[in-house]
Amino acid sequence: MSVIDQEQPTAVPDVVRAWVGGWAVSRSVRPPIKVTGGFRLDVGLPGHRVRYILFDVDQVAELALTRTAPGTWIKTSAPAERVVPLLTPAWTVGEPEYLMTVPLRRATALAPDGYTLHTATAGGITTVRIHDADGTTAASGRMGVAGPAAVADQILTDPAHRRRGLGSVVMTALGDAAAEQGATTGVLGASPDGLALYRTLGWTLCEVLTPAYIPEPNPADA
């Protein structure tokens, strides 16, 4: 049962709520469960069994002490200097991520010469792929719609096709498809490399996210 309220995100807790809801749609996992200070997602993948997304940094210490199974993740809407002192040595801290939002509107996405744009939507998930003249995927992305919010996810551009505006085309096509479905706000968690790109596309930084996880042993290394 979903416990995510479908609201227009306006503050950090609301943006986190929108992000986890749309991310769950995009990844086809069970809806988020509300916990104190945030949400839990049961992802169920090797190395990524369960994910806690917190908008209240005060909850980090208790989770870090009590949720110690390998493959557990905690992502907190706070900078590393506030999160790291609350973790035990069992946790590994990842690169910062950036929670961003943008108003969605209808727009026409056009692929550059030599490329073909393909967009498909099913079950609240829109997938965009840009193929080169040989049919190879040069860039791709997906967006999960949950109420008025749509979460951009897995945005990738092949290194051989970068600096040609393909990322912008993917984001425009995703936003257009989400707006067509009634979504009004885009949300994403950007990597350090993606932060500048999304800013040029009109996305606004809402909060820094600090990810931490307990590594899961690789059976091949046993």
Side-chain angles (χ1 to χ4, degrees), residues 26-27 117-121 125-131 137-144 151-158 166-167 169-175 177 198:
S26 175
R27 300 298 179 101
L117 175 66
H118 301 272
T119 303
T121 299
I125 304 171
T126 293
T127 302
V128 168
R129 291 185 176 86
I130 299 176
H131 295 159
T137 299
S140 61
R142 58 197 292 135
M143 186 167 266
V151 172
D153 187 28
Q154 297 181 325
I155 312 300
L156 301 170
T157 299
D158 187 281
L166 300 186
V169 175
V170 168
M171 296 304 294
T172 300
L174 288 172
Y198 298 128

Side-chain angles (χ1 to χ4, degrees), residues 103-109 171-184:
L104 294 177
R105 57 181 61 90
R106 298 300 307 275
T108 300
M171 296 304 294
T172 300
L174 288 172
D176 177 66
E180 184 179 16
Q181 296 174 68
T184 57

Side-chain angles (χ1 to χ4, degrees), residues 148-213:
V151 172
D153 187 28
Q154 297 181 325
I155 312 300
L156 301 170
T157 299
D158 187 281
H161 297 274
R162 289 177 181 168
R163 301 188 181 279
R164 302 180 190 183
L166 300 186
S168 177
V169 175
V170 168
M171 296 304 294
T172 300
L174 288 172
D176 177 66
E180 184 179 16
Q181 296 174 68
T184 57
T185 302
V187 185
L188 60 76
S191 68
D193 289 339
L195 178 62
L197 167 65
Y198 298 128
R199 276 181 162 158
T200 65
L201 298 179
W203 290 73
T204 299
L205 177 61
C206 175
E207 182 64 277
V208 177
L209 296 166
T210 299
Y213 62 96

Side-chain angles (χ1 to χ4, degrees), residues 16-204:
V16 170
R17 179 185 295 110
W19 183 45
V20 297
W23 192 91
V25 172
S26 175
R27 300 298 179 101
S28 299
V29 301
R30 292 180 179 179
I33 302 300
K34 189 178 292 185
V35 298
T36 301
F39 302 92
R40 189 188 81 227
L41 282 163
D42 295 324
V43 182
L45 295 175
H48 197 161
R49 304 294 177 177
V50 60
R51 170 191 284 203
Y52 291 88
I53 305 94
L54 301 178
F55 51 79
D56 183 357
V57 70
D58 292 336
Q59 303 303 316
V60 172
E62 180 179 357
L63 280 179
L65 285 172
T66 61
R67 305 297 191 269
T68 57
T72 300
W73 284 72
I74 299 175
K75 293 196 175 186
T76 310
S77 58
E81 56 264 28
R82 294 187 62 194
V83 175
V84 172
L86 304 174
L87 300 171
T88 70
W91 293 85
T92 297
V93 178
E95 284 191 330
E97 300 175 14
Y98 303 92
L99 195 58
M100 307 184 77
T101 64
V102 72
L104 294 177
R105 57 181 61 90
R106 298 300 307 275
T108 300
L110 298 174
D113 290 344
Y115 294 93
T116 305
L117 175 66
H118 301 272
T119 303
T121 299
I125 304 171
T126 293
T127 302
V128 168
R129 291 185 176 86
I130 299 176
H131 295 159
D132 66 10
D134 296 327
T136 301
T137 299
S140 61
R142 58 197 292 135
M143 186 167 266
V145 174
V151 172
D153 187 28
Q154 297 181 325
I155 312 300
L156 301 170
T157 299
D158 187 281
H161 297 274
R162 289 177 181 168
R163 301 188 181 279
R164 302 180 190 183
L166 300 186
S168 177
V169 175
V170 168
M171 296 304 294
T172 300
L174 288 172
D176 177 66
E180 184 179 16
Q181 296 174 68
T184 57
T185 302
V187 185
L188 60 76
S191 68
D193 289 339
L195 178 62
L197 167 65
Y198 298 128
R199 276 181 162 158
T200 65
L201 298 179
W203 290 73
T204 299

